[in-house]
Amino acid sequence: MPEISFQSLFLFSALFRVLLILYGEWQDAHMEVRYTDVDYFVFSDAATLMASGKSPYERSTYRYSPLIAFLLMPNSFLHQSWGKFLFSASDLLVGLLIHRILKLRGVPEKLCTYSTMVWLFNPFTFTIGTRGNCEPIVCSMILWILMCLMNDRLLQAAFWYGLVVHLRIYPIIYALPIILILDPRHFHSGKKPVLVDWSSRTSNSSLGASDSKITSSHYIWNFFTSIITWRRVTFGIISGSTFFILTGLCFYLYGWDFLHEALLYHLTRTDPRHNFSVYFYHIYIHYEREFSILEKLIAFLPQFIVQLVLIFLFALDLPFCFFLQTLAFVAFNKVITAQYFVWFFCLLPLILPWSNMKLKWKGFACISLWIGAQTHWLMWGYLLEFRGKNVFFQLWLASLLFLAANTFVIINVIHNHVYCPLFKQLQANSSKGTKHD
């Protein structure tokens, strides 16, 4: 296969997104089914309200930080597609960051390019930004935080982490692995941590889940015995301050409307509309009665347990841990929509160079099962939504199948992954010399 220049690939993907945005404008004007995501109209309406000095929460179903509406204010005076170009630019930034992170870890250029293509030319991802969904902004921030940690830019990483949790609450799941990775064994005083090079994967190919468990458990034990370190305290203070300052400012400006719609709503959300989650059917048949706070929160228990297990096993292989955490979080969430898939798709290219899974058999099986389970669900969703058929139970069974498919993918990804810690561990004498870090 001829070698592909990353620069040419990137320029082509940028042009492709511009053409999709222009096509979307035409489809919206000439066809019954719109190309533009319904959330984009919500963003635009909220931005127009903010531009006129009103609260964005006067727009029903706007359940995001006011910062999203602020970024889209030019929609009301520049062009209605401003937000789509902004989100698509963030989408392209994700591609650049993926390529840069892989290069920092010593991945060969050809493999970097092919891995980045998984993001840039994934139909699930290039349509998200061009249809007007804000998730690429969040994805780019997650990758930037990861790159800041790799380059020992602790203050930047902490600031952006506080900001991204304010924008979308789900990245809070990354807090514990980040704190674990900020171990004194990884850092020389005044020097960048040493990254484990991709080329070492061959010598580590025999390192399985049991070895990663031993390694991670050692770090977790060290975490509890020496939890207070300069880096951990700094990260916690800066990220926490950023989150609470932004949240406090928004609360001051927009009051309880902001607090409920942007934060509390997502913690206790019960959505009776059909979605990929296995919880939707129970919520649908019991929606007329009020759910208690305990009932709303207990659905987080499976998520919480799975998250702890994954962190315990894979925290030191940070990009891989992030990917598994996100995929599992989405699979076990109370509400699942297609836009959530972007959360883990932006992390998928970061783990591909460390995977022994071949596309021809296992890779194809995982992709086919995941897409097949999703297509099966969409068939029943179509019968319910457009044909008015009473197929709620069948749709719930399809949700169970989709959960099983996600679980199958998680297990196979773990089984075929070459465990590779992000940072090299310092020698014992160096570690003692940097205890204050």
Side-chain angles (χ1 to χ4, degrees):
M1 183 179 292
E3 189 168 342
I4 302 174
S5 164
F6 175 73
Q7 290 76 13
S8 301
L9 183 76
F10 184 80
L11 289 175
F12 178 78
S13 62
L15 177 62
F16 180 59
R17 282 158 172 76
V18 171
L19 293 176
L20 277 178
I21 292 173
L22 297 177
Y23 167 78
E25 293 296 306
W26 178 87
Q27 179 173 322
D28 288 352
H30 295 88
M31 299 179 68
E32 182 179 357
V33 178
R34 291 178 177 268
Y35 180 81
T36 302
D37 193 318
V38 65
D39 282 347
Y40 188 71
F41 298 110
V42 176
F43 295 151
S44 297
D45 293 344
T48 301
L49 288 168
M50 181 177 280
S52 62
K54 299 179 181 178
S55 169
Y57 299 102
E58 291 184 25
R59 173 54 162 97
S60 61
T61 72
Y62 182 76
R63 298 189 173 99
Y64 301 85
S65 166
L67 296 180
I68 299 296
F70 177 78
L71 290 174
L72 266 67
M73 284 174 61
N75 273 24
S76 59
F77 58 82
L78 190 60
H79 194 275
Q80 63 180 3
S81 295
W82 159 264
K84 293 181 181 179
F85 283 99
L86 176 65
F87 297 152
S88 295
S90 300
D91 174 12
L92 292 170
L93 178 59
V94 169
L96 284 176
L97 291 173
I98 289 170
H99 188 266
R100 181 58 182 158
I101 289 171
L102 292 177
K103 292 294 290 183
L104 284 174
R105 300 193 72 187
V107 178
E109 176 64 28
K110 185 176 181 180
L111 188 52
C112 282
T113 300
Y114 288 147
S115 297
T116 308
M117 287 174 64
V118 173
W119 169 266
L120 290 176
F121 295 101
N122 186 331
F124 281 96
T125 60
F126 64 66
T127 55
I128 286 291
T130 56
R131 294 183 66 225
N133 194 283
C134 70
E135 301 302 342
I137 290 181
V138 178
C139 293
S140 63
M141 292 170 70
I142 295 295
L143 296 183
W144 177 249
I145 292 166
L146 186 58
M147 199 164 80
C148 286
L149 291 171
M150 293 169 64
N151 288 308
D152 197 23
R153 296 173 183 167
L154 186 65
L155 299 183
Q156 285 192 46
F159 169 79
W160 286 101
Y161 185 69
L163 176 58
V164 77
V165 173
H166 167 79
L167 285 178
R168 297 287 276 168
I169 197 70
Y170 87 88
I172 194 68
I173 65 177
Y174 306 137
L176 184 53
I178 290 176
I179 292 299
L180 286 172
I181 207 75
L182 295 175
D183 191 281
R185 290 171 174 80
H186 294 148
F187 299 92
H188 288 282
S189 181
K191 295 182 180 180
K192 290 183 180 180
V194 181
L195 298 171
V196 177
D197 195 85
W198 175 83
S199 59
S200 66
R201 72 189 294 275
T202 53
S203 61
N204 292 336
S205 60
S206 61
L207 186 61
S210 60
D211 300 294
S212 68
K213 179 178 178 180
I214 295 172
T215 308
S216 296
S217 61
H218 173 73
Y219 273 77
I220 291 172
W221 172 253
N222 180 67
F223 168 74
F224 285 111
T225 56
S226 57
I227 186 172
I228 300 177
T229 65
W230 178 83
R231 292 178 185 277
R232 287 168 175 161
V233 171
T234 300
F235 185 87
I237 291 175
I238 299 300
S239 60
S241 298
T242 302
F243 173 81
F244 285 112
I245 287 172
L246 289 172
T247 303
L249 178 61
C250 293
F251 179 74
Y252 173 78
L253 293 174
Y254 303 111
W256 287 101
D257 286 340
F258 153 74
L259 200 61
H260 177 265
E261 298 293 345
L263 292 176
L264 299 180
Y265 170 82
H266 298 285
L267 293 176
T268 59
R269 181 178 181 181
T270 53
D271 194 339
R273 294 173 297 179
H274 60 285
N275 63 84
F276 290 102
S277 174
V278 295
Y279 294 103
F280 99 89
Y281 189 59
H282 175 77
I283 294 173
Y284 168 74
I285 60 179
H286 295 98
Y287 193 69
E288 291 186 358
R289 71 175 179 86
E290 184 69 23
F291 288 93
S292 67
I293 297 297
L294 179 62
E295 286 178 301
K296 291 178 180 180
L297 294 178
I298 202 170
F300 287 110
L301 186 60
Q303 279 182 317
F304 182 73
I305 294 173
V306 172
Q307 293 295 314
L308 286 182
V309 171
L310 294 174
I311 292 169
F312 180 72
L313 291 174
F314 303 109
L316 302 186
D317 192 349
L318 196 61
F320 185 61
C321 186
F322 276 12
F323 173 78
L324 291 179
Q325 282 185 273
T326 312
L327 179 53
F329 178 85
V330 172
F332 288 89
N333 204 26
K334 289 189 298 181
V335 178
I336 306 173
T337 62
Q339 72 187 56
Y340 294 176
F341 303 154
V342 180
W343 297 350
F344 55 81
F345 275 134
C346 72
L347 298 164
L348 176 61
L350 300 183
I351 71 169
L352 291 179
W354 286 266
S355 178
N356 289 326
M357 186 183 297
K358 303 298 183 182
L359 179 62
K360 186 176 180 180
W361 297 116
K362 287 187 178 179
F364 181 75
C366 287
I367 294 171
S368 299
L369 181 61
W370 191 78
I371 293 179
Q374 189 179 154
T375 304
H376 174 249
W377 186 96
L378 289 172
M379 178 193 71
W380 294 110
Y382 170 80
L383 292 176
L384 174 66
E385 186 78 16
F386 294 98
R387 297 296 183 183
K389 304 289 186 179
N390 184 8
V391 291
F392 278 98
F393 182 73
Q394 293 90 331
L395 196 60
W396 176 66
L397 293 178
S399 297
L400 289 175
L401 179 61
F402 188 58
L403 175 61
N406 278 290
T407 305
F408 176 84
V409 170
I410 291 172
I411 292 172
N412 276 273
V413 167
I414 292 174
H415 182 71
N416 291 277
H417 179 72
V418 178
Y419 177 79
C420 183
L422 183 62
F423 299 126
K424 288 184 179 179
Q425 182 176 333
L426 304 182
Q427 299 298 323
N429 57 347
S430 300
S431 181
K432 290 179 182 178
T434 57
K435 192 80 171 179
H436 63 280
D437 283 344

